Amino acid sequence: MIHALDLRDLWGFGLPAISFFTFALRHYLEQTGPRILQHLRDINYELSIVVARLFIPLFSDSLPLHVVFHCWSLLFATGFSAVFRVTTALLLQFEENILLCDSTNFSELMNSMGSAYLRKESEVAAFYRKLSELSMVKSLRFAELKINESSLQTLRASFLEKQQSQSAATVQHLQTIDEDIQSIQNRIRSLFSYMTGLLSSIQSDIQLRQRFVSELINLQTIKTYLALDYDTIESALGHRINAKQSKLKAISGKWLSFGFLAEERRKEEEERERLELKLRSVSYELTENSRRIKEADLTIQQMVKRIDLEIAELEDCNLQRVSFQNQLSQLYKERSKVNKCDGM
């Protein structure tokens, strides 16, 4: 059967003749079912899907078995043009149903033709009448149409002629589109790489900022303790000075040896110097701590600004990425459209 009906183009790898089959079926539908063809365009349903869905299994999973046998008999008797005749007749049989379908409903209709329809004798008879009309030159409905081997060969010649005339320009156009696609893909990859690095930098800066915030909190805590130490030492020093003056007054009227007085003064002086030294040390630590707090606070402010700038830059990059992807999508659509036009 494959050789007798030349079905290699139908079942060959990659469906080599799918473009021609779609072109021929579109031609027949333009003559017999223009409303169907327009509706399929409106719901964005590719006619090539109909071709693949019905042609490849030769209707064996779309029609009741006894109808399939009749269609196959017609196929053996008249040639491959019978496939177009059966497909066209099927679509015309369900024209009113098709016009109410969206793309999903139409797919379901294609799958349920054999199980939900063409079960009644009247439906099958109507289908056979359409098959007969499509093969008659003088049919009242299709006076200018005859789906047979002769018309199919004429369409094949027309298809090849148009394909050859469009081939060179199409190839050049497709090359230009492919170059644009490659260029945008490279820019997207480069942009994505830059965005990845930028995101990593933002994450590192956020972690570093958090570290400085923790350090600032720690420095402020230390400052609080140092301030308490400073106040305590300063208070102790003041008490020590007052106590010394009171003690000197108390012993000034008493007779004491010069050595005892000198020893008392020395002890008081040492204690005062110790407290003053400690006070200076704490004061220095407070000053140093305040300086580090200012530096940490300034660093945090600078990092917040830098993070904000990096986030803004990342958002700009993302907008560029979206723009590139939209351009890429348009180019893919254009390439698909060119391929369809080339396949007619």
Side-chain angles (χ1 to χ4, degrees):
M1 183 174 72
I2 293 176
H3 294 286
L5 298 175
D6 195 19
L7 297 179
R8 287 168 296 182
D9 287 346
L10 175 62
W11 291 333
F13 178 76
L15 301 176
I18 190 73
S19 296
F20 167 65
F21 293 155
T22 304
F23 169 78
L25 182 60
R26 182 180 294 112
H27 171 79
Y28 291 134
L29 285 177
E30 284 173 351
Q31 305 299 318
T32 61
R35 292 199 304 164
I36 296 175
L37 195 59
Q38 183 58 49
H39 184 69
L40 293 181
R41 292 194 187 104
D42 292 341
I43 63 175
N44 294 318
Y45 199 95
E46 296 293 337
L47 194 60
S48 58
I49 299 176
V50 177
V51 171
R53 179 69 182 80
L54 298 178
F55 282 36
I56 293 176
L58 290 178
F59 316 105
S60 60
D61 61 348
S62 303
L63 301 177
L65 195 57
H66 65 284
V67 179
V68 172
F69 288 154
H70 180 86
C71 293
W72 284 6
S73 297
L74 185 65
L75 179 62
F76 281 113
T78 63
F80 194 76
S81 61
V83 176
F84 292 93
R85 197 188 310 170
V86 172
T87 301
T88 305
L90 269 177
L91 294 175
L92 292 174
Q93 176 81 357
F94 296 102
E95 181 172 5
E96 298 305 321
N97 303 75
I98 292 172
L99 295 178
L100 298 176
C101 290
D102 58 18
S103 57
T104 302
N105 298 140
F106 182 66
S107 295
E108 293 174 354
L109 176 63
M110 295 279 290
N111 292 329
S112 62
M113 283 181 179
S115 59
Y117 302 94
L118 293 177
R119 290 296 180 181
K120 297 179 180 179
E121 189 64 31
S122 59
E123 294 175 344
V124 175
F127 171 64
Y128 288 159
R129 281 197 299 273
K130 284 186 172 58
L131 275 178
S132 178
E133 289 177 351
L134 292 171
S135 65
M136 296 167 58
V137 179
K138 296 182 180 180
S139 166
L140 294 177
R141 184 176 178 186
F142 310 122
E144 301 298 326
L145 177 70
K146 184 179 181 182
I147 302 180
N148 57 18
E149 293 302 302
S150 176
S151 68
L152 191 60
Q153 291 303 320
T154 301
L155 284 175
R156 187 183 295 275
S158 175
F159 174 80
L160 291 175
E161 182 181 349
K162 290 182 179 180
Q163 195 175 48
Q164 289 172 358
S165 65
Q166 293 180 0
S167 180
T170 299
V171 168
Q172 182 62 38
H173 192 186
L174 286 174
Q175 285 178 348
T176 302
I177 292 175
D178 287 339
E179 289 173 1
D180 291 342
I181 288 174
Q182 185 65 39
S183 174
I184 291 178
Q185 285 177 335
N186 290 336
R187 295 173 72 179
I188 289 176
R189 280 193 289 268
S190 176
L191 187 61
F192 182 76
S193 177
Y194 179 74
M195 289 174 67
T196 301
L198 191 59
L199 185 60
S200 177
S201 176
I202 290 173
Q203 291 172 340
S204 298
D205 286 344
I206 289 175
Q207 292 175 355
L208 190 60
R209 172 184 169 276
Q210 188 59 41
R211 196 186 77 186
F212 274 105
V213 169
S214 299
E215 182 179 348
L216 180 61
I217 294 172
N218 185 51
L219 288 171
Q220 289 172 337
T221 302
I222 293 173
K223 181 180 179 180
T224 301
Y225 286 117
L226 286 173
L228 288 174
D229 286 347
Y230 185 88
D231 292 341
T232 301
I233 295 169
E234 188 177 40
S235 177
L237 184 60
H239 285 306
R240 196 75 186 179
I241 293 172
N242 292 334
K244 177 184 177 183
Q245 291 175 350
S246 299
K247 187 175 182 180
L248 288 175
K249 286 180 181 180
I251 64 175
S252 60
K254 298 180 181 180
W255 182 88
L256 296 171
S257 66
F258 178 78
F260 176 78
L261 291 173
E263 181 64 20
E264 286 296 318
R265 288 192 183 95
R266 186 185 64 77
K267 289 180 179 180
E268 290 295 334
E269 189 66 24
E270 286 179 353
E271 182 63 19
R272 183 182 64 78
E273 288 179 355
R274 186 184 69 80
L275 289 174
E276 287 179 347
L277 181 62
K278 189 173 182 180
L279 189 64
R280 284 195 297 271
S281 175
V282 172
S283 177
Y284 173 79
E285 289 182 21
L286 270 171
T287 302
E288 183 65 17
N289 180 270
S290 297
R291 183 187 64 78
R292 292 177 64 188
I293 286 175
K294 288 181 180 179
E295 288 180 353
D297 187 54
L298 180 61
T299 301
I300 290 171
Q301 292 178 19
Q302 291 173 344
M303 295 197 70
V304 168
K305 290 181 180 179
R306 187 167 73 182
I307 290 171
D308 288 342
L309 289 174
E310 288 174 333
I311 291 175
E313 186 176 3
L314 186 64
E315 291 174 347
D316 289 341
C317 289
N318 190 54
L319 289 176
Q320 292 182 45
R321 180 187 61 81
V322 171
S323 176
F324 285 147
Q325 287 182 332
N326 289 336
Q327 293 177 43
L328 197 60
S329 177
Q330 291 299 321
L331 286 171
Y332 281 135
K333 289 179 181 178
E334 185 178 355
R335 185 171 66 178
S336 177
K337 184 178 179 181
V338 171
N339 283 327
K340 288 178 186 177
C341 291
D342 187 50
M344 292 168 284

